[in-house]
Amino acid sequence: MPAKSPAPPGFPAEIPSPATLEELHAAMLECTRCDLYQSRTQVVPGAGNPEADLILVGEAPGAYEDKLGVPFVGASGKLLDAMLTAAGIDRDEVFIANVVRSRPPGNRAPKPRELRACAGWLAEQIRIIAPRLVVTLGRFALQHFIPAGKITQLQGTAHEVQYGPRTLTLLPLLHPSAILRNPDLRGGYEQQFVELGRMMGNRD
Ligand code: SF4
């Protein structure tokens, strides 16, 4: 089990803007910008292709992610893998991250101050990777980009959003955990991923 970060609380005061994901993630691994550092096993920075055309953004690490340091490896991750397969998209060709990088205790919802403290890490990943499309999975990821956005109204449709100096194309979708809670939604969810595969040129 990785040791707790030796950094003092509130580190780093400013999120750095390095040239590479490796440098960014090395800094993120030491992050103590919010209280979640006290209960995590390790930071889960995100994983995948550093030159991805597609970034998928979820909520926060769960127990498996906290243990392994990799996003979306539990039950939600397995469902996401199945959806990506339906889209004709290889997990290795995309980048997957969360809006919060340290596991909230008991998988509770992230608090506003935790979301604010962590937001800059995602902004830097998007700056470095410069994806063609961002898929948000669930309410917290959507509201990182569209603060008043309602997932029930916006999901399944692509939206252009201003994000710092960039215009991003955003496709809000439900979080896979919502499908696990309500399996009746799975067919429609899979169809949205098939459409995503078409948008990315991975499906006819
Ligand atoms: S959740 Fe984000 S801001 Fe909070 S300690 Fe973890 S990496 Fe840092």
Side-chain angles (χ1 to χ4, degrees), residues 23 66 168:
E23 292 168 278
D66 177 67
L168 285 180

Side-chain angles (χ1 to χ4, degrees), residues 28 31-34 36-37 40 43 100-102 117-118 121:
M28 200 193 302
C31 180
T32 57
R33 285 172 57 83
C34 77
L36 291 177
Y37 84 91
R40 74 185 180 213
V43 173
V100 160
R101 316 310 174 99
S102 303
C118 214
W121 294 117

Side-chain angles (χ1 to χ4, degrees), residues 74-91:
S76 288
K78 286 188 174 49
L79 179 59
L80 180 61
D81 286 345
M83 295 299 110
L84 288 173
T85 299
I89 294 172
D90 190 320
R91 184 169 170 142

Side-chain angles (χ1 to χ4, degrees), residues 103-181:
R103 183 191 180 204
N107 292 352
R108 65 157 170 76
K111 295 179 179 174
R113 65 173 177 274
E114 296 160 356
L115 290 158
R116 279 195 301 275
C118 214
W121 294 117
L122 181 57
E124 288 301 316
Q125 286 176 320
I126 289 174
R127 177 186 62 80
I128 293 169
I129 297 171
R132 193 151 63 81
L133 181 70
V134 176
V135 169
T136 57
L137 300 168
R139 170 167 71 98
F140 291 101
L142 168 63
Q143 291 181 346
H144 173 89
F145 298 94
I146 305 176
K150 291 199 171 16
I151 184 74
T152 47
Q153 292 172 357
L154 300 182
Q155 61 111 3
T157 309
H159 302 267
E160 301 280 303
V161 295
Q162 198 61 36
Y163 189 67
R166 297 173 56 85
T167 302
L168 285 180
T169 305
L170 205 69
L171 178 63
L173 297 177
L174 295 176
H175 193 280
S177 62
I179 311 305
L180 293 174
R181 286 193 300 273

